[in-house]
Amino acid sequence: MRGQREGFPPERIVTAMCSTCPELSPLEAWRLALGWSRAQTVAQVADLYLSDGLKPPALSEAMLCRFEHGPDRPGPEYAGMLARAYGAGLDQLGLRPRCVCGADLGGYGQQTAPLIVPGVEMTAAGLPAVRESLRLALLDAPYGGPVVVELAEAAVEHYALNYSRHVPAHLFDEVHEARSLLGDALAAPVNATIGAELRRAAGWLSALLGNLAFHLGDHSGARAHLAVAASFGEHLGDARLTAWAYGAQSMLARARGDFPAALRHAEASAAHAVGQLGRAQALGWALLPTLARLGRAADAERALAEATTALDADPVGGSLGRFGFDAAELALHEAEAWLALGRSERALARAGASAASCAAYTPGWAAATLVLAQAEAGVQPGDAAARVLDVLERVPADRLRSTARTRLGALTAALDGADAVSARDLRERVRDLPPVAR
């Protein structure tokens, strides 16, 4: 079986993988050690159900991805089937049953792992290992090959799924290094098929670099990287990459105040969107906030209604990572749209819903909380300032994206005349923030 070598049982491979790349969950490491794709795992579980005389479940690749990366965990039935499929114990897969409080059910007197906030703290220690694996594969096949393609795609997936867990400046460096490793193989690939797949990976890496540059406040760099991503997507016929790149360009144009360009990019994103989830993302992330900033309230409401319907129609209900989209993100964009249209009460409700749906202290939580504070600044300035001070206490400065800093600037301007102690403290904290690392 691919991934297993004679004399190297899976548990030894898993141990080595987890020590080299601590971001891997045991559940994902076992699958990779066996050399299985998520589709193969889903098929294996379905076969087990059939062999037991049962109807196969609705387990999907997206569900398995959420089990591997959290915060979702498989129920007892799925956990047992995954353990059977992998030939591993629940402990080895990190699927020991939990009590209702969420703690692991260890033996009497055993020390259980401390509860941590998912996705908040992750060092950059595992990032070089991802790039190093790609580099080693290229030493063996400098002009590309199936293994290089697989590792390039794995790098894209890893960076995208862990995007919010890393300091943006650190992640930018790693993604840039990974993309640069593909240079020779892109220039003279071993064959056309390999060349196309490597260009696809380079396109997605460029999309990540564009988003990272934007979050680091480098708008000119973001424009360059996103233009490359859109070009790769169009030339390869990768509609999902094209739609996402245009959506990101719309976001960037809004930040520059170029709303006609933002609208063109948003409409292009919607035109290339793939599936219900892709359409929900293009409408909710790109078109809705642009129409709101243009003051087109009726059109914004129609875009919101269509985005909500499309998201509800998606069988998975959202996807993870930088390229994903879910109800919490749609609620955030809806809240900002209501703010732009001067409807603070509706913005307050939707920002609160978004914050409540996010893991605490993550970038998504911080964004929703800052928008929530913006919505209440006019009526409860002291509470709004106190809410923002809590964000600054919880989120280290190097993890504050440029978008968060823009929201902070808008809030301090809105609270300029407020005499509350918290408002004065906020102005001092924002003034003393170190500049964003570029």
Side-chain angles (χ1 to χ4, degrees):
M1 190 174 292
R2 188 165 59 92
Q4 290 181 263
R5 297 178 183 176
E6 189 173 348
F8 288 86
E11 53 266 31
R12 289 184 59 184
I13 300 175
V14 169
T15 300
M17 291 174 70
C18 288
S19 63
T20 304
C21 192
E23 288 85 355
L24 282 177
S25 68
L27 185 61
E28 183 177 26
W30 268 86
R31 176 176 62 78
L32 295 175
L34 293 170
W36 291 2
S37 66
R38 291 197 181 98
Q40 289 173 304
T41 295
V42 170
Q44 289 286 338
V45 169
D47 286 345
L48 286 173
Y49 273 82
L50 290 172
S51 67
D52 290 347
L54 300 172
K55 180 181 178 181
L59 180 65
S60 66
E61 293 177 53
M63 289 171 64
L64 180 59
C65 179
R66 292 202 295 271
F67 294 160
E68 291 179 345
H69 295 277
D72 290 359
R73 282 171 61 93
E77 183 176 325
Y78 276 156
M81 285 297 191
L82 286 168
R84 285 176 59 188
Y86 291 157
L90 293 177
D91 281 352
Q92 291 175 301
L93 296 177
L95 298 179
R96 179 187 303 208
R98 290 177 173 178
C99 69
V100 293
C101 66
D104 286 336
L105 295 175
Y108 181 79
Q110 289 182 349
Q111 181 178 0
T112 58
L115 296 178
I116 60 172
V117 178
V120 175
E121 292 297 332
M122 179 177 280
T123 68
L127 285 173
V130 177
R131 169 171 46 86
E132 184 66 12
S133 296
L134 180 58
R135 188 185 73 82
L136 290 173
L138 282 162
L139 287 177
D140 186 53
Y143 300 107
V147 174
V148 173
V149 169
E150 184 174 353
L151 286 172
E153 291 173 347
V156 171
E157 180 181 27
H158 180 80
Y159 298 142
L161 288 173
N162 294 292
Y163 186 99
S164 294
R165 300 182 179 187
H166 289 290
V167 175
H170 294 167
L171 185 56
F172 182 95
D173 289 342
E174 286 299 326
V175 177
H176 179 255
E177 288 291 332
R179 189 182 67 168
S180 67
L181 288 174
L182 299 176
D184 288 345
L186 286 170
V190 65
N191 60 51
T193 301
I194 293 297
E197 292 307 312
L198 290 178
R199 287 198 298 277
R200 192 185 314 279
W204 284 109
L205 290 171
S206 297
L208 285 169
L209 286 175
N211 210 178
L212 286 162
F214 174 71
H215 284 149
L216 292 169
D218 180 7
H219 288 187
S220 59
R223 289 181 71 181
H225 295 304
L226 292 174
V228 169
S231 176
F232 271 121
E234 289 184 334
H235 290 157
L236 292 167
D238 188 333
R240 181 168 172 261
L241 172 57
T242 306
W244 194 92
Y246 277 128
Q249 286 178 315
S250 179
M251 172 187 66
L252 178 60
R254 284 198 309 276
R256 299 198 315 268
D258 188 350
F259 301 119
L263 183 59
R264 289 196 303 273
H265 290 312
E267 290 172 340
S269 178
H272 288 87
V274 178
Q276 295 289 354
L277 184 61
R279 183 140 186 89
Q281 183 175 38
L283 293 169
W285 173 38
L287 192 58
L288 167 63
T290 301
L291 291 170
R293 294 295 295 273
L294 288 168
R296 294 168 53 177
D299 291 334
E301 295 233 31
R302 280 192 288 273
L304 171 61
E306 189 176 345
T308 303
T309 300
L311 186 59
D312 289 344
D314 180 72
V316 179
S319 58
L320 297 171
R322 182 65 265 168
F323 301 125
F325 192 73
D326 58 16
E329 187 175 352
L330 178 57
L332 172 66
H333 297 307
E334 181 184 351
E336 290 207 293
W338 295 134
L339 271 182
L341 292 168
R343 302 180 188 178
S344 297
E345 288 187 4
R346 297 181 75 171
L348 195 68
R350 299 312 295 151
S354 180
S357 299
C358 294
Y361 319 140
T362 57
W365 170 85
T369 303
L370 292 176
V371 174
L372 181 59
Q374 284 180 274
E376 64 186 356
V379 291
Q380 296 175 308
D383 290 349
R387 194 183 298 279
V388 179
L389 285 170
D390 182 57
V391 172
L392 294 177
E393 286 293 330
R394 306 285 188 178
V395 182
D398 61 355
R399 290 180 178 267
L400 284 174
R401 297 171 177 175
S402 65
T403 47
R405 291 168 181 263
T406 298
R407 294 182 180 110
L408 285 170
L411 273 163
T412 54
L415 297 171
D416 189 47
D419 194 38
V421 173
S422 55
R424 293 197 297 272
D425 289 346
L426 176 60
R427 286 192 287 269
E428 292 179 7
R429 288 291 300 272
V430 172
R431 183 191 63 209
D432 294 339
L433 279 175
V436 64
R438 293 198 177 178

mmCIF file of all heavy atoms in Angstrom, residues 262-305:
data_model
loop_
_atom_site.group_PDB
_atom_site.id
_atom_site.type_symbol
_atom_site.label_atom_id
_atom_site.label_comp_id
_atom_site.label_asym_id
_atom_site.label_seq_id
_atom_site.Cartn_x
_atom_site.Cartn_y
_atom_site.Cartn_z
ATOM 1 N N ALA A 262 -14.007 47.385 -7.919
ATOM 2 C CA ALA A 262 -14.470 46.339 -7.004
ATOM 3 C C ALA A 262 -15.708 45.652 -7.560
ATOM 4 O O ALA A 262 -15.854 44.424 -7.458
ATOM 5 C CB ALA A 262 -14.771 46.941 -5.631
ATOM 6 N N LEU A 263 -16.607 46.422 -8.164
ATOM 7 C CA LEU A 263 -17.826 45.846 -8.726
ATOM 8 C C LEU A 263 -17.505 44.965 -9.929
ATOM 9 O O LEU A 263 -18.066 43.867 -10.074
ATOM 10 C CB LEU A 263 -18.796 46.961 -9.120
ATOM 11 C CG LEU A 263 -20.153 46.504 -9.658
ATOM 12 C CD1 LEU A 263 -20.883 45.652 -8.627
ATOM 13 C CD2 LEU A 263 -20.997 47.715 -10.057
ATOM 14 N N ARG A 264 -16.593 45.412 -10.798
ATOM 15 C CA ARG A 264 -16.214 44.594 -11.966
ATOM 16 C C ARG A 264 -15.634 43.261 -11.521
ATOM 17 O O ARG A 264 -15.980 42.204 -12.057
ATOM 18 C CB ARG A 264 -15.191 45.345 -12.831
ATOM 19 C CG ARG A 264 -15.758 46.533 -13.590
ATOM 20 C CD ARG A 264 -14.790 46.966 -14.694
ATOM 21 N NE ARG A 264 -13.458 47.299 -14.166
ATOM 22 C CZ ARG A 264 -13.110 48.498 -13.720
ATOM 23 N NH1 ARG A 264 -14.003 49.485 -13.698
ATOM 24 N NH2 ARG A 264 -11.891 48.728 -13.281
ATOM 25 N N HIS A 265 -14.743 43.309 -10.541
ATOM 26 C CA HIS A 265 -14.128 42.071 -10.058
ATOM 27 C C HIS A 265 -15.165 41.173 -9.376
ATOM 28 O O HIS A 265 -15.120 39.943 -9.529
ATOM 29 C CB HIS A 265 -12.990 42.391 -9.084
ATOM 30 C CG HIS A 265 -11.796 43.013 -9.730
ATOM 31 N ND1 HIS A 265 -11.220 42.514 -10.875
ATOM 32 C CD2 HIS A 265 -11.046 44.101 -9.381
ATOM 33 C CE1 HIS A 265 -10.167 43.262 -11.214
ATOM 34 N NE2 HIS A 265 -10.054 44.218 -10.314
ATOM 35 N N ALA A 266 -16.079 41.767 -8.613
ATOM 36 C CA ALA A 266 -17.099 40.973 -7.933
ATOM 37 C C ALA A 266 -17.996 40.265 -8.940
ATOM 38 O O ALA A 266 -18.349 39.086 -8.779
ATOM 39 C CB ALA A 266 -17.927 41.864 -7.015
ATOM 40 N N GLU A 267 -18.388 40.976 -9.989
ATOM 41 C CA GLU A 267 -19.233 40.363 -11.013
ATOM 42 C C GLU A 267 -18.486 39.264 -11.760
ATOM 43 O O GLU A 267 -19.067 38.226 -12.113
ATOM 44 C CB GLU A 267 -19.728 41.444 -11.974
ATOM 45 C CG GLU A 267 -20.744 42.389 -11.330
ATOM 46 C CD GLU A 267 -21.091 43.581 -12.203
ATOM 47 O OE1 GLU A 267 -20.281 43.886 -13.136
ATOM 48 O OE2 GLU A 267 -22.136 44.215 -11.974
ATOM 49 N N ALA A 268 -17.174 39.464 -11.997
ATOM 50 C CA ALA A 268 -16.374 38.417 -12.633
ATOM 51 C C ALA A 268 -16.265 37.195 -11.729
ATOM 52 O O ALA A 268 -16.310 36.053 -12.188
ATOM 53 C CB ALA A 268 -14.988 38.953 -12.979
ATOM 54 N N SER A 269 -16.124 37.429 -10.430
ATOM 55 C CA SER A 269 -16.057 36.320 -9.475
ATOM 56 C C SER A 269 -17.344 35.514 -9.515
ATOM 57 O O SER A 269 -17.318 34.274 -9.567
ATOM 58 C CB SER A 269 -15.817 36.864 -8.060
ATOM 59 O OG SER A 269 -15.786 35.816 -7.116
ATOM 60 N N ALA A 270 -18.481 36.199 -9.500
ATOM 61 C CA ALA A 270 -19.775 35.497 -9.536
ATOM 62 C C ALA A 270 -19.945 34.733 -10.845
ATOM 63 O O ALA A 270 -20.521 33.637 -10.864
ATOM 64 C CB ALA A 270 -20.906 36.501 -9.345
ATOM 65 N N ALA A 271 -19.446 35.300 -11.959
ATOM 66 C CA ALA A 271 -19.592 34.647 -13.261
ATOM 67 C C ALA A 271 -18.801 33.345 -13.334
ATOM 68 O O ALA A 271 -19.178 32.428 -14.066
ATOM 69 C CB ALA A 271 -19.145 35.600 -14.375
ATOM 70 N N HIS A 272 -17.683 33.255 -12.595
ATOM 71 C CA HIS A 272 -16.842 32.056 -12.640
ATOM 72 C C HIS A 272 -17.116 31.102 -11.478
ATOM 73 O O HIS A 272 -16.503 30.026 -11.413
ATOM 74 C CB HIS A 272 -15.363 32.443 -12.603
ATOM 75 C CG HIS A 272 -14.862 33.061 -13.879
ATOM 76 N ND1 HIS A 272 -14.957 34.408 -14.146
ATOM 77 C CD2 HIS A 272 -14.279 32.504 -14.970
ATOM 78 C CE1 HIS A 272 -14.442 34.661 -15.335
ATOM 79 N NE2 HIS A 272 -14.024 33.525 -15.864
ATOM 80 N N ALA A 273 -18.001 31.460 -10.556
ATOM 81 C CA ALA A 273 -18.215 30.670 -9.350
ATOM 82 C C ALA A 273 -18.647 29.242 -9.686
ATOM 83 O O ALA A 273 -19.421 29.016 -10.617
ATOM 84 C CB ALA A 273 -19.261 31.338 -8.467
ATOM 85 N N VAL A 274 -18.146 28.303 -8.898
ATOM 86 C CA VAL A 274 -18.433 26.878 -9.109
ATOM 87 C C VAL A 274 -19.285 26.370 -7.950
ATOM 88 O O VAL A 274 -18.878 26.464 -6.787
ATOM 89 C CB VAL A 274 -17.131 26.063 -9.190
ATOM 90 C CG1 VAL A 274 -17.440 24.576 -9.347
ATOM 91 C CG2 VAL A 274 -16.265 26.558 -10.337
ATOM 92 N N GLY A 275 -20.453 25.847 -8.254
ATOM 93 C CA GLY A 275 -21.297 25.239 -7.239
ATOM 94 C C GLY A 275 -21.990 26.262 -6.354
ATOM 95 O O GLY A 275 -21.749 27.470 -6.439
ATOM 96 N N GLN A 276 -22.846 25.747 -5.483
ATOM 97 C CA GLN A 276 -23.608 26.618 -4.589
ATOM 98 C C GLN A 276 -22.688 27.354 -3.611
ATOM 99 O O GLN A 276 -22.865 28.544 -3.363
ATOM 100 C CB GLN A 276 -24.648 25.797 -3.822
ATOM 101 C CG GLN A 276 -25.736 25.188 -4.685
ATOM 102 C CD GLN A 276 -26.705 26.237 -5.228
ATOM 103 O OE1 GLN A 276 -26.649 27.407 -4.883
ATOM 104 N NE2 GLN A 276 -27.594 25.813 -6.103
ATOM 105 N N LEU A 277 -21.715 26.652 -3.052
ATOM 106 C CA LEU A 277 -20.831 27.281 -2.087
ATOM 107 C C LEU A 277 -19.987 28.369 -2.750
ATOM 108 O O LEU A 277 -19.782 29.448 -2.188
ATOM 109 C CB LEU A 277 -19.930 26.239 -1.431
ATOM 110 C CG LEU A 277 -19.012 26.765 -0.318
ATOM 111 C CD1 LEU A 277 -19.833 27.357 0.819
ATOM 112 C CD2 LEU A 277 -18.117 25.650 0.214
ATOM 113 N N GLY A 278 -19.486 28.082 -3.964
ATOM 114 C CA GLY A 278 -18.711 29.089 -4.684
ATOM 115 C C GLY A 278 -19.533 30.321 -4.994
ATOM 116 O O GLY A 278 -19.047 31.456 -4.906
ATOM 117 N N ARG A 279 -20.795 30.115 -5.364
ATOM 118 C CA ARG A 279 -21.668 31.262 -5.648
ATOM 119 C C ARG A 279 -21.955 32.055 -4.379
ATOM 120 O O ARG A 279 -21.948 33.284 -4.386
ATOM 121 C CB ARG A 279 -22.963 30.793 -6.290
ATOM 122 C CG ARG A 279 -23.881 31.937 -6.689
ATOM 123 C CD ARG A 279 -24.547 31.696 -8.016
ATOM 124 N NE ARG A 279 -25.315 32.872 -8.454
ATOM 125 C CZ ARG A 279 -24.812 33.858 -9.171
ATOM 126 N NH1 ARG A 279 -23.538 33.813 -9.544
ATOM 127 N NH2 ARG A 279 -25.566 34.870 -9.540
ATOM 128 N N ALA A 280 -22.207 31.354 -3.275
ATOM 129 C CA ALA A 280 -22.439 32.043 -2.001
ATOM 130 C C ALA A 280 -21.231 32.895 -1.627
ATOM 131 O O ALA A 280 -21.381 34.035 -1.160
ATOM 132 C CB ALA A 280 -22.732 31.022 -0.903
ATOM 133 N N GLN A 281 -20.036 32.364 -1.853
ATOM 134 C CA GLN A 281 -18.828 33.108 -1.513
ATOM 135 C C GLN A 281 -18.672 34.342 -2.392
ATOM 136 O O GLN A 281 -18.390 35.441 -1.892
ATOM 137 C CB GLN A 281 -17.606 32.204 -1.662
ATOM 138 C CG GLN A 281 -16.296 32.875 -1.253
ATOM 139 C CD GLN A 281 -15.135 31.910 -1.294
ATOM 140 O OE1 GLN A 281 -15.045 31.065 -2.185
ATOM 141 N NE2 GLN A 281 -14.250 31.999 -0.331
ATOM 142 N N ALA A 282 -18.845 34.189 -3.701
ATOM 143 C CA ALA A 282 -18.690 35.331 -4.610
ATOM 144 C C ALA A 282 -19.699 36.430 -4.294
ATOM 145 O O ALA A 282 -19.356 37.630 -4.288
ATOM 146 C CB ALA A 282 -18.844 34.862 -6.058
ATOM 147 N N LEU A 283 -20.923 36.039 -4.002
ATOM 148 C CA LEU A 283 -21.959 37.030 -3.702
ATOM 149 C C LEU A 283 -21.765 37.651 -2.330
ATOM 150 O O LEU A 283 -21.898 38.862 -2.154
ATOM 151 C CB LEU A 283 -23.339 36.364 -3.780
ATOM 152 C CG LEU A 283 -23.789 35.889 -5.163
ATOM 153 C CD1 LEU A 283 -25.024 35.017 -5.052
ATOM 154 C CD2 LEU A 283 -24.072 37.086 -6.069
ATOM 155 N N GLY A 284 -21.440 36.824 -1.322
ATOM 156 C CA GLY A 284 -21.351 37.330 0.039
ATOM 157 C C GLY A 284 -20.074 38.067 0.349
ATOM 158 O O GLY A 284 -20.083 39.063 1.084
ATOM 159 N N TRP A 285 -18.972 37.595 -0.204
ATOM 160 C CA TRP A 285 -17.663 38.171 0.092
ATOM 161 C C TRP A 285 -17.346 39.358 -0.820
ATOM 162 O O TRP A 285 -16.776 40.354 -0.368
ATOM 163 C CB TRP A 285 -16.609 37.071 -0.076
ATOM 164 C CG TRP A 285 -15.176 37.471 0.016
ATOM 165 C CD1 TRP A 285 -14.617 38.394 0.855
ATOM 166 C CD2 TRP A 285 -14.092 36.922 -0.737
ATOM 167 N NE1 TRP A 285 -13.258 38.456 0.675
ATOM 168 C CE2 TRP A 285 -12.913 37.564 -0.303
ATOM 169 C CE3 TRP A 285 -14.006 35.956 -1.732
ATOM 170 C CZ2 TRP A 285 -11.667 37.256 -0.841
ATOM 171 C CZ3 TRP A 285 -12.762 35.651 -2.252
ATOM 172 C CH2 TRP A 285 -11.608 36.290 -1.809
ATOM 173 N N ALA A 286 -17.742 39.258 -2.085
ATOM 174 C CA ALA A 286 -17.336 40.274 -3.065
ATOM 175 C C ALA A 286 -18.470 41.220 -3.453
ATOM 176 O O ALA A 286 -18.322 42.448 -3.357
ATOM 177 C CB ALA A 286 -16.783 39.584 -4.311
ATOM 178 N N LEU A 287 -19.620 40.678 -3.888
ATOM 179 C CA LEU A 287 -20.660 41.544 -4.441
ATOM 180 C C LEU A 287 -21.441 42.295 -3.369
ATOM 181 O O LEU A 287 -21.669 43.512 -3.489
ATOM 182 C CB LEU A 287 -21.614 40.712 -5.297
ATOM 183 C CG LEU A 287 -22.579 41.513 -6.181
ATOM 184 C CD1 LEU A 287 -21.826 42.441 -7.126
ATOM 185 C CD2 LEU A 287 -23.478 40.569 -6.975
ATOM 186 N N LEU A 288 -21.866 41.607 -2.307
ATOM 187 C CA LEU A 288 -22.678 42.245 -1.266
ATOM 188 C C LEU A 288 -21.994 43.477 -0.664
ATOM 189 O O LEU A 288 -22.588 44.568 -0.648
ATOM 190 C CB LEU A 288 -23.017 41.219 -0.178
ATOM 191 C CG LEU A 288 -23.584 41.764 1.139
ATOM 192 C CD1 LEU A 288 -24.926 42.446 0.902
ATOM 193 C CD2 LEU A 288 -23.706 40.655 2.172
ATOM 194 N N PRO A 289 -20.752 43.377 -0.155
ATOM 195 C CA PRO A 289 -20.138 44.566 0.451
ATOM 196 C C PRO A 289 -19.854 45.676 -0.557
ATOM 197 O O PRO A 289 -19.899 46.864 -0.208
ATOM 198 C CB PRO A 289 -18.848 44.035 1.072
ATOM 199 C CG PRO A 289 -18.599 42.732 0.419
ATOM 200 C CD PRO A 289 -19.908 42.179 0.011
ATOM 201 N N THR A 290 -19.616 45.313 -1.816
ATOM 202 C CA THR A 290 -19.360 46.340 -2.828
ATOM 203 C C THR A 290 -20.633 47.125 -3.125
ATOM 204 O O THR A 290 -20.613 48.367 -3.189
ATOM 205 C CB THR A 290 -18.831 45.697 -4.120
ATOM 206 O OG1 THR A 290 -17.613 44.982 -3.832
ATOM 207 C CG2 THR A 290 -18.549 46.747 -5.178
ATOM 208 N N LEU A 291 -21.736 46.424 -3.307
ATOM 209 C CA LEU A 291 -23.010 47.108 -3.557
ATOM 210 C C LEU A 291 -23.388 47.998 -2.382
ATOM 211 O O LEU A 291 -23.910 49.113 -2.563
ATOM 212 C CB LEU A 291 -24.110 46.074 -3.816
ATOM 213 C CG LEU A 291 -23.990 45.286 -5.119
ATOM 214 C CD1 LEU A 291 -24.987 44.125 -5.138
ATOM 215 C CD2 LEU A 291 -24.203 46.195 -6.335
ATOM 216 N N ALA A 292 -23.112 47.530 -1.161
ATOM 217 C CA ALA A 292 -23.427 48.341 0.018
ATOM 218 C C ALA A 292 -22.593 49.613 0.046
ATOM 219 O O ALA A 292 -23.103 50.703 0.340
ATOM 220 C CB ALA A 292 -23.198 47.518 1.285
ATOM 221 N N ARG A 293 -21.313 49.497 -0.276
ATOM 222 C CA ARG A 293 -20.457 50.691 -0.280
ATOM 223 C C ARG A 293 -20.864 51.667 -1.378
ATOM 224 O O ARG A 293 -20.628 52.876 -1.269
ATOM 225 C CB ARG A 293 -18.984 50.282 -0.454
ATOM 226 C CG ARG A 293 -18.419 49.496 0.716
ATOM 227 C CD ARG A 293 -18.354 50.309 1.996
ATOM 228 N NE ARG A 293 -17.432 51.420 1.885
ATOM 229 C CZ ARG A 293 -16.134 51.357 2.140
ATOM 230 N NH1 ARG A 293 -15.591 50.197 2.509
ATOM 231 N NH2 ARG A 293 -15.366 52.425 2.040
ATOM 232 N N LEU A 294 -21.476 51.172 -2.430
ATOM 233 C CA LEU A 294 -21.991 52.036 -3.503
ATOM 234 C C LEU A 294 -23.356 52.618 -3.158
ATOM 235 O O LEU A 294 -23.908 53.411 -3.935
ATOM 236 C CB LEU A 294 -22.079 51.251 -4.811
ATOM 237 C CG LEU A 294 -20.741 50.921 -5.492
ATOM 238 C CD1 LEU A 294 -20.948 49.893 -6.595
ATOM 239 C CD2 LEU A 294 -20.096 52.183 -6.046
ATOM 240 N N GLY A 295 -23.921 52.223 -2.009
ATOM 241 C CA GLY A 295 -25.219 52.738 -1.592
ATOM 242 C C GLY A 295 -26.400 52.100 -2.286
ATOM 243 O O GLY A 295 -27.521 52.610 -2.196
ATOM 244 N N ARG A 296 -26.168 50.973 -2.956
ATOM 245 C CA ARG A 296 -27.238 50.290 -3.697
ATOM 246 C C ARG A 296 -27.909 49.272 -2.780
ATOM 247 O O ARG A 296 -27.685 48.073 -2.866
ATOM 248 C CB ARG A 296 -26.669 49.650 -4.958
ATOM 249 C CG ARG A 296 -26.178 50.691 -5.960
ATOM 250 C CD ARG A 296 -25.351 50.108 -7.096
ATOM 251 N NE ARG A 296 -26.006 49.011 -7.797
ATOM 252 C CZ ARG A 296 -25.497 48.394 -8.863
ATOM 253 N NH1 ARG A 296 -24.316 48.813 -9.359
ATOM 254 N NH2 ARG A 296 -26.147 47.404 -9.440
ATOM 255 N N ALA A 297 -28.761 49.779 -1.891
ATOM 256 C CA ALA A 297 -29.333 48.946 -0.837
ATOM 257 C C ALA A 297 -30.182 47.809 -1.382
ATOM 258 O O ALA A 297 -30.073 46.662 -0.922
ATOM 259 C CB ALA A 297 -30.162 49.820 0.105
ATOM 260 N N ALA A 298 -31.044 48.088 -2.341
ATOM 261 C CA ALA A 298 -31.929 47.049 -2.874
ATOM 262 C C ALA A 298 -31.119 45.940 -3.542
ATOM 263 O O ALA A 298 -31.410 44.744 -3.370
ATOM 264 C CB ALA A 298 -32.915 47.658 -3.860
ATOM 265 N N ASP A 299 -30.098 46.318 -4.311
ATOM 266 C CA ASP A 299 -29.255 45.319 -4.967
ATOM 267 C C ASP A 299 -28.470 44.514 -3.935
ATOM 268 O O ASP A 299 -28.267 43.296 -4.088
ATOM 269 C CB ASP A 299 -28.292 45.992 -5.944
ATOM 270 C CG ASP A 299 -28.998 46.570 -7.155
ATOM 271 O OD1 ASP A 299 -30.085 46.060 -7.497
ATOM 272 O OD2 ASP A 299 -28.470 47.530 -7.753
ATOM 273 N N ALA A 300 -28.027 45.194 -2.874
ATOM 274 C CA ALA A 300 -27.297 44.502 -1.812
ATOM 275 C C ALA A 300 -28.197 43.477 -1.129
ATOM 276 O O ALA A 300 -27.771 42.349 -0.833
ATOM 277 C CB ALA A 300 -26.769 45.502 -0.794
ATOM 278 N N GLU A 301 -29.439 43.825 -0.890
ATOM 279 C CA GLU A 301 -30.377 42.888 -0.265
ATOM 280 C C GLU A 301 -30.605 41.672 -1.152
ATOM 281 O O GLU A 301 -30.690 40.535 -0.670
ATOM 282 C CB GLU A 301 -31.703 43.591 0.024
ATOM 283 C CG GLU A 301 -31.573 44.701 1.066
ATOM 284 C CD GLU A 301 -32.568 44.538 2.198
ATOM 285 O OE1 GLU A 301 -32.912 43.388 2.520
ATOM 286 O OE2 GLU A 301 -32.995 45.558 2.745
ATOM 287 N N ARG A 302 -30.709 41.899 -2.457
ATOM 288 C CA ARG A 302 -30.902 40.765 -3.375
ATOM 289 C C ARG A 302 -29.675 39.853 -3.382
ATOM 290 O O ARG A 302 -29.799 38.625 -3.401
ATOM 291 C CB ARG A 302 -31.197 41.287 -4.786
ATOM 292 C CG ARG A 302 -32.650 41.732 -4.986
ATOM 293 C CD ARG A 302 -32.955 41.962 -6.447
ATOM 294 N NE ARG A 302 -32.305 43.163 -6.947
ATOM 295 C CZ ARG A 302 -32.839 44.384 -6.882
ATOM 296 N NH1 ARG A 302 -34.038 44.552 -6.353
ATOM 297 N NH2 ARG A 302 -32.194 45.435 -7.363
ATOM 298 N N ALA A 303 -28.474 40.468 -3.380
ATOM 299 C CA ALA A 303 -27.254 39.660 -3.348
ATOM 300 C C ALA A 303 -27.177 38.852 -2.061
ATOM 301 O O ALA A 303 -26.783 37.671 -2.068
ATOM 302 C CB ALA A 303 -26.026 40.566 -3.485
ATOM 303 N N LEU A 304 -27.560 39.467 -0.941
ATOM 304 C CA LEU A 304 -27.548 38.763 0.340
ATOM 305 C C LEU A 304 -28.526 37.594 0.329
ATOM 306 O O LEU A 304 -28.197 36.490 0.781
ATOM 307 C CB LEU A 304 -27.897 39.732 1.467
ATOM 308 C CG LEU A 304 -28.126 39.109 2.845
ATOM 309 C CD1 LEU A 304 -26.869 38.394 3.329
ATOM 310 C CD2 LEU A 304 -28.563 40.173 3.853
ATOM 311 N N ALA A 305 -29.719 37.828 -0.176
ATOM 312 C CA ALA A 305 -30.725 36.759 -0.211
ATOM 313 C C ALA A 305 -30.240 35.594 -1.058
ATOM 314 O O ALA A 305 -30.396 34.417 -0.676
ATOM 315 C CB ALA A 305 -32.040 37.315 -0.752
#
